[in-house]
Amino acid sequence: MNEGSLWIILQRMRLPFIVILSTYTIAMTGLLLIPGVDANGNSFHLSIFEAFYFVTYTATTIGFGELPFAFTHYQKIWVSVSIYLVVLGWFYSIGTLISLFQNKIFLSEIAIARFQRSVKNMEENFVIVLGYNETTREIIKRLLAAKMRVVVVEIDQDRADYLQLEGFVPNVPILVKDAHNPNALEYAGIKSPYCKAVISIFEDNALNLRITLAAKLLNPYVNVVVKATTAEEAENLRDAHADIVDNPFAIIAYQLQMALKAPSLFKLENWLYKRDTLESKTFSIPDSDIIICGYGRLGSTIYEMFKKNNITPTVIEVNDSRINTANYSGVNKIIHGSADDHFYLETANIYDAKLVIIATDNDTINLSILSTVKKMNPSALIIVRENEITDFSIFSKAKIDHLYIPERILIQKTTNALSNPLGDKLIRMIANKDEAWGHALLVDLVKNVGINPKTYELDLTEKEAYEIHKYLKNKENSLALGILKLSRRDRNQKNNLFPLLILRSNEEILLPSDDTLLQIDDRILFACDSNAIDDLEYIANNAYEFKYIISGEERKLFFR
């Protein structure tokens, strides 16, 4: 129970307590003053304890008789008056207590206290998620699957109830409070050493900025993950020291640029996000005859990407204010009209179009445009935006070349950055590589691991890799990366283990060679299979397995 709920109890129950105390005092005083008669006919007075005991059981039950001796008429008259007096006092007090337990403020304080206990008892890494909706619901599922605990703050009681009905395992504590209130972040455990991140992906960018500033003031070391929808908003959030700024529209534009310039890199990213395997069809887009339907936040971001690559798409937009924005931004080819109208599509030269990007923020309009485009130019490559996350997607059944759901991209980016930070770092590092580099890496991965490798992160710390850490501590710069590839069953064989990245405090090594010398606290990202992961975990923490791959000396089972 916290101070708030205790104060409410003391404040609301003060008068009932005084009433009970007063009625008991009056009843007991009369019993103490009125003389009684013992079995021998002698006068006597009840003791304080006897008076208290009699009043107590008489007021709360039907009574157990007159003790220690039968009462006189005067005592009986006083007891009759006292019963009504004390019982009324109890009725008033119990009624006030029931009213207290129906008080919303009191119940809220009790819920906060219970929530704080749940958070305090967490002795494992957790993430604070602000707001509960379809997007954060998927984020919570993925974080729990990645063995990360989650705490939620949501202002709406109905949404909080829906979360409780989900039955997440392990349990997800939820606090019903306004997320922008700094107290909510404190209640949620932002100052706990186990709190690793705060996720704020509200549509209100000002709210995201405010939460970022508050979170960094309360805990400068916590990672803050926020959503932005424009380049200016993203810059403001970075200035506020947000660690991860997710702009789904910029991410989509970046992915299309990879599909344009380096399709192999796009395939690698899809594999790292677990969207596809390495043998999936390579997705690439043409560099001419492009139509963009809709010049909103997504359409304008994609247009700017093409413009930077010296490509000028044709834009179709029906909204007057967006037309003015496009003209002000220097869009050369823009048609003012509805993109599902045959006339405007013909004006945009739909019959010769190689790529049509349908990017409005209305799914009904997007479906209408899609239907019209497929009829007029069945051979065109079609990319569509879907705005709502649903279990059943009409778009996915429409044989579209590529489907983008901004919220789904936000989910993937957020969870990958938190549950697979080295993978997220790798995605950013390969962004500036070319198609030849990406294709070579694809070939190497398929050759050395397979068409659908897993990713595995190994931290060379005492907790995560005890034997390796101990060895490096005693023999610095004496262990090469290639040693970790050896099979613990036969060190003459190698596991399907492909190192992708080594991250150090002052160095980032992309695609390290087998000769790279390991250092304490290195963080290594591997592409591998399940067998390699199993071997690597044994080697890193089992003295016998580690000694075998280092020296070839096998464990002796019998001693003489």
Side-chain angles (χ1 to χ4, degrees), residues 442-485:
L442 280 175
V443 172
D444 285 344
L445 283 171
V446 173
K447 178 182 177 181
N448 291 283
V449 185
I451 61 172
N452 192 23
K454 299 177 182 291
T455 55
Y456 180 76
E457 179 181 329
L458 178 66
D459 295 346
L460 301 188
T461 61
E462 187 173 11
K463 181 180 179 181
E464 301 295 331
Y466 177 78
E467 290 301 324
I468 297 176
H469 183 274
K470 183 174 71 173
Y471 186 86
L472 292 175
K473 193 174 182 180
N474 296 328
K475 299 180 180 180
E476 190 175 353
N477 296 325
S478 60
L479 186 65
L481 175 62
I483 289 289
L484 302 182
K485 291 185 177 183

Side-chain angles (χ1 to χ4, degrees), residues 267-286:
K267 183 183 285 190
L268 284 168
E269 180 177 294
N270 283 333
W271 162 66
L272 287 167
Y273 277 128
K274 298 179 175 63
R275 291 193 294 250
D276 236 327
T277 67
L278 297 179
E279 69 166 358
S280 63
K281 181 181 177 181
T282 302
F283 179 72
S284 61
I285 61 175

Side-chain angles (χ1 to χ4, degrees), residues 398-444:
K399 297 181 180 179
I400 302 166
D401 296 287
H402 207 75
L403 177 65
Y404 278 115
I405 306 174
E407 296 305 311
R408 185 74 65 187
I409 289 172
L410 191 65
I411 292 166
Q412 292 171 343
K413 173 67 175 175
T414 301
T415 53
N416 191 65
L418 294 175
S419 62
N420 186 20
L422 287 189
D424 187 67
K425 179 72 174 177
L426 178 64
I427 289 171
R428 285 183 275 125
M429 290 181 69
I430 68 176
N432 297 321
K433 300 297 182 180
D434 57 22
E435 170 62 15
W437 187 93
H439 180 73
L441 179 56
L442 280 175
V443 172
D444 285 344

Side-chain angles (χ1 to χ4, degrees), residues 125-412:
N125 294 341
F126 67 88
V127 175
I128 300 174
V129 176
L130 303 181
Y132 184 71
N133 51 38
E134 286 298 320
T135 303
T136 53
R137 173 174 169 267
E138 290 298 317
I139 290 174
I140 291 169
K141 283 184 177 180
R142 295 188 181 209
L143 290 176
L144 292 177
K147 309 299 182 184
M148 297 184 74
R149 295 293 302 274
V150 178
V151 171
V152 176
V153 178
E154 168 57 56
I155 192 172
D156 186 85
Q157 182 63 57
D158 289 339
R159 290 183 179 178
D161 292 339
Y162 282 130
L163 182 145
Q164 298 288 353
L165 291 174
E166 287 288 344
F168 289 120
V169 179
N171 178 55
V172 176
I174 182 165
L175 173 67
V176 180
K177 207 168 184 66
D178 196 341
H180 81 269
N181 188 334
N183 287 336
L185 292 174
E186 288 198 67
Y187 294 150
I190 192 171
K191 293 182 178 180
S192 168
Y194 297 105
C195 180
K196 298 304 176 185
V198 176
I199 299 176
S200 174
I201 52 175
F202 296 106
E203 289 297 326
D204 186 345
N205 292 292
L207 179 57
N208 289 333
L209 179 59
R210 180 173 178 175
I211 289 169
T212 300
L213 293 169
K216 284 298 183 180
L217 284 172
L218 292 169
N219 186 351
Y221 305 104
V222 73
N223 288 318
V224 179
V225 183
V226 288
K227 174 185 176 181
T229 53
T230 67
E232 293 77 12
E233 292 162 359
E235 189 63 30
N236 289 337
L237 289 164
R238 291 190 183 95
D239 290 341
H241 305 293
D243 300 277
I244 303 169
V245 181
D246 293 337
N247 182 343
F249 305 124
I251 294 171
I252 292 172
Y254 163 70
Q255 290 178 351
L256 289 177
Q257 178 170 285
M258 283 197 295
L260 175 71
K261 307 284 285 186
S264 294
L265 293 181
F266 189 38
K267 183 183 285 190
L268 284 168
E269 180 177 294
N270 283 333
W271 162 66
L272 287 167
Y273 277 128
K274 298 179 175 63
R275 291 193 294 250
D276 236 327
T277 67
L278 297 179
E279 69 166 358
S280 63
K281 181 181 177 181
T282 302
F283 179 72
S284 61
I285 61 175
D287 58 2
S288 62
D289 301 316
I290 301 169
I291 299 174
I292 299 177
C293 302
Y295 193 76
R297 292 176 297 179
L298 177 58
S300 59
T301 306
I302 293 174
Y303 181 89
E304 289 300 318
M305 180 277 293
F306 281 122
K307 186 178 178 181
K308 288 178 182 178
N309 287 280
N310 300 315
I311 300 170
T312 306
T314 300
V315 176
I316 305 176
E317 175 57 61
V318 70
N319 185 278
D320 291 336
S321 63
R322 289 176 180 172
I323 287 289
N324 294 332
T325 302
N327 289 328
Y328 180 78
S329 301
V331 178
N332 296 326
K333 299 179 182 179
I334 186 162
I335 298 170
H336 190 179
S338 177
D340 61 351
D341 190 297
H342 285 245
F343 172 77
Y344 296 111
L345 285 171
E346 288 176 356
T347 305
N349 201 16
I350 182 64
Y351 297 112
D352 295 327
K354 297 177 182 175
L355 171 63
V356 179
I357 300 174
I358 304 172
T360 81
D361 58 2
N362 186 301
D363 284 343
T364 303
I365 293 174
N366 288 347
L367 281 169
S368 179
I369 297 171
L370 173 63
S371 177
T372 306
V373 169
K374 288 177 77 71
K375 289 177 182 177
M376 297 181 72
N377 187 348
S379 63
L381 192 71
I382 301 176
I383 298 174
V384 183
R385 169 186 178 179
E386 184 175 5
N387 296 282
E388 300 293 333
I389 298 179
T390 57
D391 293 329
F392 176 79
S393 170
I394 298 176
F395 290 94
S396 63
K397 309 296 181 182
K399 297 181 180 179
I400 302 166
D401 296 287
H402 207 75
L403 177 65
Y404 278 115
I405 306 174
E407 296 305 311
R408 185 74 65 187
I409 289 172
L410 191 65
I411 292 166
Q412 292 171 343

